[in-house]
């Protein structure tokens, strides 16, 4: 049935059996099945994705080191806007000119940090939803899932909380968009769970906004 969906020609009436290797090779069936099943599946023998070169891997590690350095510097209570390119580069162990191989400016670094914490948020909320909708978990358990994620990613969430009112306008705007998406998702989840049936849709939106803020 899977093969019929992938390539009807492979299983059309009157064709040679798929269990006949000779017939499959003759009609090119093996090729069409392999291309359909494996061409875009990472990790398979026929995966065509080129492996990451050592240089590309090193570049990715240095980029992450710059992001971690910014979070480390902010851990003392400083805002992102107070950080300089030079001190972030120094903390990451690279020369200042090396910074520009990874980010065009400090705002670009800030946007990358927002993207990173946004991904952490999405992963955490998927776990919360699984606990609520699939496992039928208690609200307290879902809250613990979220608080554990905050504790494990303290620097990311601290950055998010501070910089929604910080000095970088691009970072503020991106955080506001992320916060709105999370608020909308929470409001939709509350409707599905029917936790507050007495509230109107507008009331649920307001509660969700207050919780996320």
């Amino acid at each position: 049935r899977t093969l019929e969906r992938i390539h009807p020609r492979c299983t059309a009436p009157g064709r040679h059996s798929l269990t006949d290797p000779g017939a499959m090779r003759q009609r090119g069936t093996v090729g069409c099945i392999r291309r359909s099943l494996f061409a875009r599946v990472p990790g398979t023998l026929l995966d065509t994705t080129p492996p990451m070169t050592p240089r590309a891997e090193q570049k990715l590690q240095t980029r992450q080191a710059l992001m971690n350095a910014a979070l480390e510097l902010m851990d003392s209570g400083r805002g992102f806007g107070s950080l300089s390119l030079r001190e972030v580069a120094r903390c990451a162990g690279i020369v200042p000119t090396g910074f520009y191989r990874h980010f065009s400016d400090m705002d670009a670094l800030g946007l990358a940090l927002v993207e990173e914490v946004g991904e952490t948020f999405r992963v955490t909320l998927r776990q919360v939803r699984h606990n609520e909708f699939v496992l039928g978990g208690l609200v307290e358990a879902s809250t613990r899932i979220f608080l554990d994620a905050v504790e494990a990613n303290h620097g990311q969430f601290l950055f998010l909380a501070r910089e929604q009112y910080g000095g970088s306008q691009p970072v503020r705007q991106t955080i506001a968009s992320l916060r709105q998406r999370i608020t909308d998702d929470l409001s939709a989840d509350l409707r599905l769970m029917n936790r507050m049936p007495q509230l109107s849709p507008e009331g649920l939106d307001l509660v969700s906004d207050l919780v996320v803020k």
Side-chain angles (χ1 to χ4, degrees):
R1 287 193 298 271
T2 300
L3 293 175
E4 288 171 355
R5 289 196 297 270
I6 293 173
H7 207 298
R9 182 175 66 81
C10 297
T11 55
R15 299 291 183 184
H16 292 276
S17 169
L18 283 173
T19 59
D20 180 358
M24 292 172 72
R25 284 193 295 271
Q26 179 181 354
R27 296 186 177 276
T29 306
V30 171
C32 80
I33 295 172
R34 286 175 175 169
R35 285 191 296 273
S36 300
L37 287 176
F38 302 114
R40 292 182 178 85
V41 179
T44 62
L45 292 177
L46 297 180
D47 179 19
T48 57
T49 304
M52 184 177 290
T53 65
R55 183 174 181 179
E57 187 174 354
Q58 179 62 43
K59 184 175 182 180
L60 189 63
Q61 291 174 354
T62 304
R63 185 179 189 274
Q64 187 62 50
L66 287 166
M67 296 168 65
N68 293 342
L71 292 175
E72 182 180 341
L73 290 168
M74 287 186 286
D75 199 40
S76 63
R78 296 175 58 185
F80 180 76
S82 71
L83 304 183
S84 72
L85 184 154
R86 285 181 174 277
E87 63 180 330
V88 171
R90 183 169 61 250
C91 185
I94 66 172
V95 296
T97 53
F99 179 95
Y100 294 105
R101 298 194 186 100
H102 307 277
F103 302 102
S104 58
D105 53 25
M106 286 294 291
D107 281 341
L109 171 60
L111 295 178
L113 289 172
V114 176
E115 182 180 356
E116 182 180 55
V117 72
E119 180 58 28
T120 300
F121 244 120
R122 283 188 287 271
V123 170
T124 303
L125 293 179
R126 278 198 296 269
Q127 294 174 344
V128 169
R129 288 190 183 100
H130 179 76
N131 182 69
E132 286 289 337
F133 292 109
V134 179
L135 304 181
L138 299 174
V139 173
E140 290 80 4
S142 296
T143 303
R144 174 47 53 193
I145 292 172
F146 185 80
L147 292 179
D148 287 345
V150 172
E151 184 176 357
N153 301 277
H154 174 77
Q156 290 184 15
F157 284 93
L158 189 63
F159 165 78
L160 186 68
R162 284 177 178 161
E163 297 310 314
Q164 60 182 326
Y165 308 112
S168 170
Q169 183 177 3
V171 171
R172 284 201 316 271
Q173 292 174 339
T174 306
I175 290 177
S177 297
L178 172 63
R179 189 178 64 198
Q180 188 59 53
R181 290 196 299 273
I182 295 170
T183 299
D184 293 342
D185 287 346
L186 176 58
S187 182
D189 288 346
L190 290 175
R191 290 189 184 92
L192 288 173
M193 289 187 291
N194 198 29
R195 296 282 186 183
M196 304 176 184
Q198 74 278 14
L199 293 182
S200 65
E202 292 76 15
L204 284 175
D205 290 342
L206 179 59
V207 168
S208 300
D209 185 59
L210 290 173
V211 168
V212 173
K213 284 182 177 178

